Amino acid sequence: MGFLVRTLITAFAFWVAELLIEGISFTGPFNMFIAAIIFGLVNALVRPVVALLSLPLTVLTLGLFTLVVNALMFAITAGLMPGMRVSGFGAAFFGAIIVWLVSWAVNRLVVDRAAVR
């Protein structure tokens, strides 16, 4: 159940990113759900390797290079997902930030409501 909720939250975050960033587009709402699954898989499988390899840059930039890693994961997702288009690095960068912010905020609301019960 938790996987489905987090996937729906990520799909919602993709929808918000599509609304706010001109360079991000999806061919349909169901593609956002599939992209959310692919994004989760990319973050689970590829991100740890890239984060480890980029650790010196992350330390050197006091953690700011993590934003570039997040943008790269966003771009990889767009490359793997035929129904998702990201026009460039800037769109991937700001799209990743928006997806992170929306996911964080909605997850906080969902977790806080579940904890109240």
Side-chain angles (χ1 to χ4, degrees):
M1 186 70 161
F3 171 76
L4 180 61
V5 170
R6 291 195 189 280
T7 302
L8 289 173
I9 290 170
T10 305
F12 173 72
F14 277 140
W15 177 70
V16 172
E18 181 185 28
L19 290 176
L20 296 177
I21 307 295
E22 191 171 317
I24 298 172
S25 64
F26 291 88
T27 56
F30 186 69
N31 285 338
M32 288 180 200
F33 183 75
I34 295 170
I37 293 171
I38 293 173
F39 189 63
L41 290 172
V42 167
N43 277 328
L45 301 174
V46 178
R47 190 174 196 279
V49 175
V50 173
L52 182 64
L53 293 174
S54 67
L55 190 60
L57 281 173
T58 303
V59 170
L60 188 64
T61 61
L62 302 175
L64 290 177
F65 194 74
T66 304
L67 296 172
V68 175
V69 172
N70 289 343
L72 181 62
M73 298 305 106
F74 197 86
I76 289 172
T77 301
L80 294 172
M81 178 66 199
M84 178 180 179
R85 186 185 66 80
V86 176
S87 64
F89 179 76
F93 184 81
F94 290 112
I97 290 173
I98 289 171
V99 168
W100 172 76
L101 281 172
V102 171
S103 296
W104 174 79
V106 174
N107 276 316
R108 292 282 303 197
L109 289 173
V110 170
V111 169
D112 287 347
R113 286 193 178 157
V116 171
R117 291 182 197 182

